[in-house]
Amino acid sequence: MSGRCLVTGGAGFIGSHLAERLLAVGERVRVVDDLSTGLRENVPAGAELLEGDLRDPAVCAEACRDVERIFHLAGRVTIRGSAESFCDDADVNLMGTLRLLAAAGEAGVKRLVFASSMAVYADSPDRRPVAEDHPTEPISAYGISKLAAERSLLTVAPTLGVEPVVLRFFNTYGTRQGYTPYVGVVTIFVTRILRGEPCVIFGDGEQCRDYVHVADVARACVLAGEADAAVGQVLNVGTGTGTSVNRLAERIRTLLGAGELTHAERDPSELVHSVADVGRLRAALGFAPEGRLDDRLAEVVEYLRARGRARGPAD
């Protein structure tokens, strides 16, 4: 790569890891973030921070100035809560993307890598890994907003001279993921156990997920920004390996030596079986995941334990 890279949402969980990786390979990095969920402390030293909302065309124009490649990770990430916030989801995830794309075209940006989601897919009733041609029939308002954004990008970007790449992230975990009740089950379970609260399992807990480490996601993003074979492609970013929520909970309880479980009714807006077929990713980018869930859970536990100590019980 050459030229400046823009990471939207670069003060957030995945975006900060991506900005860090880009800097490590010698790139100049600008981060744009409204800091609504991201943290200023997450932005790595050496990255330029522009604070602002991508729904503002002036912010988009400034963010795209002198930029060659954009990694668009900013957005609202809610599935279970998206039924109540569908207008905001559409405004941020769709309209924010389109305003950024318009500014990218005006600025002569070469490539835009868009972070989409496994939430765009229909469920996999036969429990097979889902390939990119699996039916896109989202069952959440969040998934609808991401699918609309990726289809708009793939259609409009080439007319503006911008090379589009769509990456569909599966369940990403790792350090710096903020705690919310809606997303990031690894962080949710560890945080609740450290607080002495029960882990809530929705349904029978046999729903299966593909947990991919944030470092692997960041590496896939960098490769997608470089590889000519990625242009115009939709690529799953996962591991190809499924883990049930029950197994995940037991693994975390074993690491912590504690943890109560409780059950609640499954939310119909959440997929039951969602594991990535990563064959196309491997072919296009030469990518293979390096982080195994069982090997990387301990670092999340230690990170969240350290943050809890730093903040104190009153926080």
Side-chain angles (χ1 to χ4, degrees):
M1 265 187 255
S2 60
R4 190 186 304 274
C5 296
L6 172 67
V7 180
T8 75
F13 166 42
I14 302 175
S16 64
H17 282 274
L18 173 56
E20 194 171 69
R21 186 170 187 92
L22 288 166
L23 288 166
V25 297
E27 300 298 334
R28 293 181 297 150
V29 176
R30 174 180 297 143
V31 163
V32 60
D33 202 297
D34 66 1
L35 301 181
S36 59
T37 57
L39 301 174
R40 194 180 298 271
E41 68 196 55
N42 285 345
V43 179
E48 172 193 351
L49 173 61
L50 172 63
E51 185 177 347
D53 190 323
L54 292 176
R55 290 172 292 182
D56 182 344
V59 171
C60 290
E62 176 61 21
C64 292
R65 180 176 50 83
D66 300 325
V67 164
E68 183 180 46
R69 297 167 197 250
I70 297 174
F71 299 88
H72 181 34
L73 278 67
R76 284 180 59 95
V77 186
T78 56
I79 296 178
R80 199 177 310 127
S82 66
E84 291 78 31
S85 61
F86 64 91
C87 285
D88 286 341
D89 279 7
D91 194 24
V92 174
N93 295 339
L94 175 57
M95 295 310 301
T97 300
L98 294 179
R99 290 190 178 97
L100 178 66
L101 177 58
E106 287 287 331
V109 171
K110 179 182 179 182
R111 185 172 300 187
L112 196 158
V113 178
F114 174 63
S116 189
S117 168
M118 54 85 181
V120 305
Y121 288 120
D123 222 324
S124 178
D126 58 7
R127 302 180 72 84
R128 294 182 185 177
V130 297
E132 289 82 357
D133 58 0
H134 185 80
T136 47
E137 298 172 2
I139 57 175
S140 67
Y142 168 73
I144 292 169
S145 71
K146 296 300 279 189
L147 183 60
E150 67 173 58
R151 288 188 172 172
S152 297
L153 175 68
L154 290 168
T155 300
V156 176
T159 71
L160 302 177
V162 178
E163 299 172 343
V165 183
V166 172
L167 301 180
R168 290 175 178 162
F169 297 167
F170 280 66
N171 289 71
T172 308
Y173 71 98
T175 59
R176 300 185 207 146
Q177 186 171 40
Y179 174 81
T180 79
Y182 300 117
V183 65
V185 66
V186 172
T187 294
I188 291 171
F189 280 179
V190 174
T191 300
R192 290 184 68 87
I193 291 173
L194 289 174
R195 292 177 177 178
E197 300 170 356
C199 298
V200 181
I201 294 178
F202 295 92
D204 63 7
E206 285 306 300
Q207 56 267 45
C208 204
R209 297 286 183 268
D210 187 333
Y211 298 99
V212 56
H213 192 265
V214 66
D216 283 327
V217 173
R219 186 163 54 88
C221 288
V222 174
L223 291 171
E226 296 172 339
D228 290 339
V231 176
Q233 293 286 326
V234 176
L235 303 171
N236 289 336
V237 180
T239 67
T241 300
T243 302
S244 73
V245 174
N246 285 334
R247 185 185 181 281
L248 175 70
E250 287 307 316
R251 180 73 178 115
I252 291 172
R253 292 173 74 198
T254 298
L255 282 171
L256 287 165
E260 296 182 9
L261 302 180
T262 186
H263 285 262
E265 185 177 353
R266 188 181 71 82
D267 192 305
S269 67
E270 293 189 314
L271 298 169
V272 175
H273 189 77
S274 183
V275 177
D277 181 325
V278 292
R280 186 185 293 185
L281 181 72
R282 187 181 303 113
L285 304 183
F287 174 89
E290 296 176 351
R292 291 181 66 254
L293 180 64
D294 284 350
D295 297 333
R296 304 303 292 265
L297 281 175
E299 72 185 45
V300 180
V301 169
E302 290 311 309
Y303 171 80
L304 292 172
R305 184 178 274 142
R307 285 183 68 81
R309 284 196 297 264
R311 290 179 175 181
D315 297 327

